[in-house]
Amino acid sequence: MAASDLAMFDKPQQKDLDRCVHCGLCLNSCPTYRELGIEMDSPRGRIYQMNQVAQGLAEIGPSYIQHIDLCLACRGCETACPSGVQYGRLVEAARAEIETKIQRPWYQRLGRDLVFRRLLPSPTLLRVAGAILGLGEVTGLQWLIRKSGILKRFGRLEQIEKLAPPVEFPSFFRQYGRNFPAAGERRYRVALLGGCIANISFARLNEATVRVLQKNGCEVVVPDGQTCCGALHVHAGIRDQARKQARQNIDALLAGGFDAIITNAAGCGSTLKEYHELFEHDPDYAERSRQFSRLMKDVTEFLAGIDLVPPTIPIGKTVTYQDSCHLAHGQKIRSQPRKLLKAIPGLTFKEMPGSDICCGSAGIYNVVNNEMAMEILEKKMASVNRTGADVIATANPGCMIQLRAGVCQHGGGQPVRHVIELLDEAYS
Ligand code: SF4
Ligand code: SF4
């Protein structure tokens, strides 16, 4: 089906908007409302504005765009809502409508085109970008730029630059097309998605994920032909490109006969499990996207659902866990990562207050809305510090980047680890 035909469905649907009964029970779960106390920056207020636009009572203007853009799309309100409002679906559709109806300034269009349509789906450009950034790190150029203070002259660029994750060599792209045999008897055959930026900045995490799955009787295939899942595109409203990448992933993976398709990135997993929503009006991909979504599993969900091989090496640390929004609210996965952490001998688990409140990462929110993201992060770090934990665990690379920035600014030097990295350590 043509992209232009599908675009006409890319707006909040009245039946979805009508589920909101304006009770306000979601307000306290909303990080932007908690920060600003402004109704228009609450879930209820944003749904009201979407309704006004849908009924032709308000224009898509700067004020509407600002309130919709300031939403983290964390879906905390979705969990709190007793009426079953699918807020994530609404805000993503609202952003898609803005994208198709409003022309952004030329520099924003150029930046979005470069990042979303050229860089993220291209392994070649990601490798080149990784090589350039890596060169900056090893030659000391990055250090020099930071030391010179020149970034202070460009608004919040200094804070934003600190969020850049270090490049890891070699990249995970070199594993594409490989099969990793199960350790011992093969119980499952699974596909692993490498992500986009994760291939160059979380290559060791991806390798740890392969090892942990092998240890648990999985033959792990890293299929060639896979691409960036399109989650960042969906969150930014760029649905035509998201659909293009989704089709590529469905074509590359569905025919493989896998027992499961695995990701270690909660933000990606949420979109991958909702591919069918992108194609609900596309007869060519509607059924195939549903099949694909049914096979998708977060790695913690998959491991907690099988007969886990018990880890044996003790980790004598106190660990707290930050729920990734797209795992807890988007996929309703809360107990599984905790179950895996508690299976590690010697590990003391300490729950933090408000662990399912967003840390401010939210895809690229901490880049485009840095000030708000850092205010939210400061409160998150206060919760982390109250636990006295030695280690912060989470299950999403994006949250790891944000929490590491939080440790630098407000923490006590706690390492930030993916649940799978800790499990890998306990198996090694
Ligand atoms: S998705 Fe998050 S930031 Fe957006 S309205 Fe809901 S709770 Fe607030
Ligand atoms: S989104 Fe749900 S909780 Fe929030 S105001 Fe609407 S019905 Fe109430």
Side-chain angles (χ1 to χ4, degrees):
M1 200 167 175
S4 54
D5 294 334
L6 290 175
M8 70 188 200
F9 299 106
D10 289 340
K11 59 184 181 185
Q13 300 298 305
Q14 197 59 52
K15 65 175 174 30
D16 295 330
L17 291 166
D18 287 345
R19 293 178 94 156
C20 176
V21 295
H22 317 294
C23 63
L25 291 171
C26 53
L27 265 60
N28 201 39
S29 66
C30 174
T32 57
Y33 181 74
R34 287 161 74 112
E35 281 299 321
L36 302 171
I38 298 172
E39 174 71 16
M40 299 303 248
D41 285 311
S42 76
R44 182 174 62 183
R46 291 188 176 110
I47 291 170
Y48 174 81
Q49 294 168 82
M50 289 178 208
N51 232 325
Q52 294 286 100
V53 168
Q55 293 175 21
L57 302 171
E59 296 277 306
I60 299 180
S63 160
Y64 178 70
I65 295 172
Q66 184 198 320
H67 293 302
I68 297 298
D69 277 355
L70 200 63
C71 170
L72 293 139
C74 67
R75 298 165 71 161
C77 49
E78 217 172 284
T79 299
C81 176
S83 302
V85 172
Q86 291 177 283
Y87 181 86
R89 181 177 156 93
L90 283 171
V91 75
E92 286 168 2
R95 287 178 178 167
E97 186 178 25
I98 292 169
E99 188 66 17
T100 49
K101 293 202 173 147
I102 297 294
Q103 194 166 58
R104 292 178 185 265
W106 69 267
Y107 55 88
Q108 280 189 20
R109 273 183 282 136
L110 180 68
R112 286 162 76 90
D113 187 67
L114 281 176
V115 173
F116 290 111
R117 297 185 192 276
R118 294 177 199 279
L119 178 68
L120 295 179
S122 165
T124 309
L125 289 183
L126 282 167
R127 276 185 161 127
V128 171
I132 294 169
L133 292 172
L135 208 62
E137 287 168 20
V138 295
T139 58
L141 185 65
Q142 185 192 50
W143 177 85
L144 206 64
I145 291 172
R146 283 179 177 173
K147 263 298 202 223
S148 72
I150 194 170
L151 297 177
K152 283 192 177 63
R153 296 191 198 165
F154 301 96
R156 296 191 67 83
L157 194 58
E158 190 184 26
Q159 284 84 358
I160 293 168
E161 192 277 333
K162 282 184 191 150
L163 292 168
V167 176
E168 295 179 350
F169 291 106
S171 86
F172 191 71
F173 281 123
R174 73 189 177 131
Q175 311 293 8
Y176 277 36
R178 286 190 64 186
N179 273 37
F180 297 86
E185 188 198 343
R186 188 182 87 165
R187 294 193 282 159
Y188 306 96
R189 186 168 171 273
V190 302
L192 179 68
L193 292 170
C196 50
I197 296 165
N199 282 294
I200 55 170
S201 285
F202 289 91
R204 302 295 83 79
L205 166 61
N206 281 352
E207 287 167 5
T209 307
V210 171
R211 282 193 297 273
V212 169
L213 288 167
Q214 285 180 288
K215 180 85 182 169
N216 280 281
C218 297
E219 177 193 349
V220 184
V221 183
V222 185
D224 244 340
Q226 61 171 298
T227 187
C228 160
C229 67
L232 293 175
H233 304 72
V234 171
H235 298 161
I238 305 172
R239 287 208 181 192
D240 60 330
Q241 183 65 30
R243 287 193 178 101
K244 198 170 160 189
Q245 292 168 207
R247 285 191 191 98
Q248 184 175 332
N249 281 329
I250 292 168
D251 292 346
L253 279 92
L254 200 55
F258 299 111
D259 296 313
I261 303 170
I262 308 268
T263 177
N264 57 26
C268 304
S270 193
T271 295
L272 288 155
K273 285 183 179 177
E274 290 169 355
Y275 267 1
H276 58 283
E277 291 191 6
L278 286 174
F279 295 111
E280 58 191 332
H281 302 289
D282 184 342
D284 300 334
Y285 274 84
E287 180 48 34
R288 302 183 72 210
S289 58
R290 274 196 292 274
Q291 286 173 18
F292 184 94
S293 298
R294 280 197 290 271
L295 286 175
M296 268 317 303
K297 291 270 184 273
D298 182 80
V299 65
T300 62
E301 174 188 21
F302 179 79
L303 290 169
I306 64 173
D307 200 4
L308 186 79
V309 172
T312 50
I313 316 274
I315 296 182
K317 303 270 186 203
T318 303
V319 178
T320 192
Y321 175 72
Q322 162 65 17
D323 284 285
S324 158
C325 296
H326 283 91
L327 205 55
H329 305 303
Q331 301 177 54
K332 316 296 177 210
I333 294 174
R334 291 165 181 265
S335 61
Q336 296 90 329
R338 289 171 169 83
K339 179 178 167 188
L340 298 181
L341 288 172
K342 289 172 185 172
I344 297 173
L347 186 149
T348 307
F349 183 77
K350 193 97 187 268
E351 198 69 68
M352 80 168 88
S355 64
D356 67 348
I357 294 175
C358 184
C359 63
S361 167
I364 55 165
Y365 186 94
N366 50 0
V367 174
V368 294
N369 286 302
N370 183 261
E371 195 173 348
M372 174 64 79
M374 292 302 130
E375 281 166 19
I376 292 169
L377 179 60
E378 189 176 346
K379 294 200 173 60
K380 174 58 61 185
M381 288 310 300
S383 300
V384 168
N385 292 335
R386 271 205 292 279
T387 65
D390 312 310
V391 178
I392 309 167
T394 188
N396 186 40
C399 306
M400 292 170 74
I401 293 171
Q402 177 79 345
L403 291 166
R404 281 175 184 159
V407 169
C408 284
Q409 289 180 24
H410 313 288
Q414 305 97 323
V416 179
R417 312 286 306 276
H418 195 290
V419 172
I420 294 304
E421 289 177 324
L422 291 169
L423 205 50
D424 182 47
E425 197 179 316
Y427 281 136
S428 302

